[in-house]
Amino acid sequence: MVKKKYKIGTCFGCQKCLYCGIDLEKDICKCKKAVKPTRKNRTVLVKNAFPRAFDPTTSNPKQFDFVKNKNEHFQYGYDLTKSIQFSLCTKCNSPYQRLSNSSNLTRKTGRTKRAETTEVIDLETGSSEVSTVTQSESKHNDSENDDDDELEMEIDYKLVIKQADGSALLAKNYSVTISELDEFLLAIQNNITALLKDDEINANDYNISFKSEKAQGAGTLLVDVCDFKNFRLEYVKLAAAKRTMLILVTMKKKEKLVKRKKKESNSDDEEIICDELIPKGGNSNKILKLNGLATVKEPPTHPSFGYTHPSKNRSQSNLPQFSNNVQDLINPIFSTLLQALVTPHFLQQSSSSLTSNNSIVSQSSQSIPSMAEFLRQIDEAEKTEDYYFNFLEGFEKQRIRVKHLSKLNDTQFEICGVTAVGDIETIREVAQKYK
DNA sequence: GCTCTAGTGATTGTTAATGA
DNA sequence: TCATTAACAATCACTAGAGC
């Protein structure tokens, strides 16, 4: 029987992801749910999470019932004769704590209870990872991996990355042990970013499908849990038949990029983008007027504009100083694509040449300011001193660049530490200039 | 309609354990 | 020894519902 493996990064009581807050009963996320939530890795979306140590010998009966009920309800498969660790969201933590308090009303002080606890605790808390303990584990001796065996599967697959023009560029064999769709998707994403050497590719940039290596047709999309169930069934069949599962990654928007590259190659010297290297201070006004067209030096990095591209009119209105001829040639969506092709890597490699080309930048091309400059510009415009600049750390942590800002949703802004609606709107508004 | 109260979610405080 | 972390306890803030 398949049991739902509990992960310590989710709420034991309600299956909420303790990083993004998504209800995992209804949805999936890509958070690292195997990582125990601590004060250091808290997110804005779920500010508090409560690690809990459950010990059947010392927990009060009501808490025991709580754990037992959740264990049964979500079919975690814990052996409740053993101590376990889990995490709770604030919502579940409150009642859980009160269960403890209610028993204390009889009334021990909390401290007395704690003292008793420390006397009895020994058990098998040993395993520091503790995030998963299943009934099978109790039956199967102490093999460390046994707890994963019920759900986790080792998937051997061949990954093929297919460009939108139909050409399959890369194929590589991988093996990954996963138990859930999101883990698998994450693994594939890691494969893609590694193969393409592009950290900024995200899940919206491609479709994933699967099929037998020898099968004809496009395969089956791997999108949701249903697909994943189907995938597992298929995989088991293929594995039994000693056939290889093919994971097909179809990149989106490639044709536009190809066009772009052609255009870029023809106009390299007229459009140079500089994300980080624009001299601070004196040129800031010029920077604000630039529209963000770029020279292609690397493959596309973040084509998420595919699903959030802005309105054409707005884009056009934000190209004030750029050559009208070029604007006519390149429509606004195109210019978004152009921006997406610029990477810091390029900037590092070409810093000297770019510096020497500053005159060109200031004359005929547009550039995106660095995040620091961008935030300072807002502060200057809003007369807020360092208020917006203080968001720099949050953006840097998430590797957000100016070109990404107009595509971020509210949640993503919050993850970066920008929570006030007004701040988000202000940043978005200014960022429109650099789409 | 108002007030009171219980319930709930969220936050903060305290203490022991642990590691540098 | 000091700083950090984990675990638990206490408290705050808000809401809904009952009673008048």
Side-chain angles (χ1 to χ4, degrees), chain A residues 341-357:
Chain A
L341 289 172
V342 178
T343 70
H345 185 59
F346 156 63
L347 294 166
Q348 286 164 8
Q349 286 183 333
S350 325
S351 60
S352 59
S353 62
L354 275 175
T355 306
S356 66
N357 282 337

Side-chain angles (χ1 to χ4, degrees), chain A residues 1-6 75-76 134 136 146-154 177-180 183 228 232:
Chain A
M1 168 179 175
V2 174
K3 296 184 176 97
K4 185 180 285 186
K5 186 184 133 189
Y6 172 69
Q75 297 187 318
Y76 293 136
T134 65
S136 66
D146 279 354
D147 56 337
D148 292 336
D149 285 347
E150 286 187 355
L151 262 185
E152 292 199 338
M153 289 177 70
E154 182 174 350
T177 303
I178 49 101
S179 60
E180 292 178 357
E183 287 178 347
F228 187 59
R232 290 176 72 122

Side-chain angles (χ1 to χ4, degrees), chain A residues 391-405:
Chain A
F391 295 129
L392 179 62
E393 187 181 351
F395 285 125
E396 286 183 339
K397 271 187 184 170
Q398 300 300 323
R399 306 193 64 208
I400 301 295
R401 298 183 179 284
V402 174
K403 65 187 176 186
H404 302 142
L405 288 171

